[in-house]
């Protein structure tokens, strides 16, 4: 399980999300393989050192993470 939270500069929590799925090692291997296939197919946006959202776009990255075994679990704030 992964819990991610985003905070403002004043430490106010802005958002919280929960993901579940494969263990960390399996997810990492599957996700890196997905990212490599995307790069080989020229699906990366930009050049140089890029964060995942910049490289793939949020929607495409979300589908890649789901394909590697993560699923979003709705949570109550």
């Amino acid at each position: 399980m992964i819990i991610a939270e985003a905070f403002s500069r004043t430490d106010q929590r802005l958002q919280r999300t929960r993901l579940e799925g494969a263990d960390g090692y399996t997810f990492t291997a599957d996700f890196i393989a997905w990212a490599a296939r995307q790069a080989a197919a020229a699906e990366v946006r930009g050049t140089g050192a890029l964060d995942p959202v910049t490289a793939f776009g949020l929607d495409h990255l979300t589908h890649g993470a789901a394909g590697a075994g993560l699923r979003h679990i709705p949570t109550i704030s």
Side-chain angles (χ1 to χ4, degrees):
M1 174 179 30
I2 299 167
I3 303 280
E5 296 179 322
F7 291 86
S8 71
R9 290 180 190 214
T10 59
D11 291 328
Q12 177 184 359
R13 188 171 73 189
L14 302 173
Q15 186 70 320
R16 176 186 171 109
T17 193
R18 179 176 156 196
L19 304 169
E20 290 184 353
D23 68 76
Y25 296 107
T26 301
F27 170 75
T28 299
D30 290 348
F31 188 75
I32 288 173
W34 172 84
R37 287 191 301 273
Q38 301 311 299
E43 294 292 330
V44 174
R45 303 174 185 173
T47 59
L50 304 170
D51 65 87
V53 174
T54 301
F56 302 110
L58 184 56
D59 290 337
H60 196 57
L61 179 65
T62 300
H63 290 294
L70 285 186
R71 63 188 181 281
H72 179 253
I73 306 299
T75 59
I76 299 172
S77 297

